Amino acid sequence: MAFSADELRVLRRALAFALHPAPLPDEDVQDCLRLAGSVDEAVAEAGRLRAFLLADLVRYRDALPGSLTGYLELLQDALAAGYDPRPEDLAALRALRGGPLAAALLERCQMIAERSVRARLAGRAVPRTAPAPRSRLLALPGGRAAGPDEPKTPPAPARPVPPSERPAPKPSEVFPPRRPVPQPPQRRAG
């Protein structure tokens, strides 16, 4: 996740406030609420992107062996994003382990799956398939800088942005860059 210069400024002010609490001006409270909303939206978008990636991975796995290259690339991307390989992935990689990339991915997936099973047996939750929902930021400690005779009222909730007004995601956000797949050496007749 990347922050803009304005968002970094707001984040820096919020962190300074956390270290040295004092009443915040209305403008700072609104900036913090907007930043929290932006972060919530980015988390939701990341969840949608992850669901899209995993659905794509299933489609490629179901089309094996014809989709070998695409499946291996998608699996690498999913593993990098914290995906726990499923038994179907391990079975597909075992069937494809004749290739060096598939064999390396099989070894990596087996290690991840084993670590995940051990963690679950030890009683630790390993929620890597879906991010935990984050509660919405409703108030900041210290709140607004209200005058002595001004009643403290919560700020008006932000108007939800309908999907038609949201900016369309960039292609680089929806389709991550592909990694090159090493090609086997060509044999020459001689």
Side-chain angles (χ1 to χ4, degrees), residues 31-75:
D31 287 344
C32 289
L33 291 173
R34 274 193 294 276
L35 179 61
S38 295
V39 169
D40 287 341
E41 188 177 323
V43 167
E45 186 63 33
R48 286 190 292 270
L49 177 61
R50 183 178 177 81
F52 174 78
L53 241 164
L54 295 180
D56 215 16
L57 182 66
V58 169
R59 281 192 300 272
Y60 273 78
R61 184 178 56 230
D62 290 344
L64 284 173
S67 63
L68 174 68
T69 304
Y71 173 70
L72 295 178
E73 287 177 5
L74 283 173
L75 184 58

Side-chain angles (χ1 to χ4, degrees), residues 50 53-54 57 73-84 108 128 179:
R50 183 178 177 81
L53 241 164
L54 295 180
L57 182 66
E73 287 177 5
L74 283 173
L75 184 58
Q76 283 179 322
D77 291 343
L79 290 173
Y83 172 70
D84 275 335
R108 183 176 170 197
R128 291 178 58 170
R179 294 186 186 96

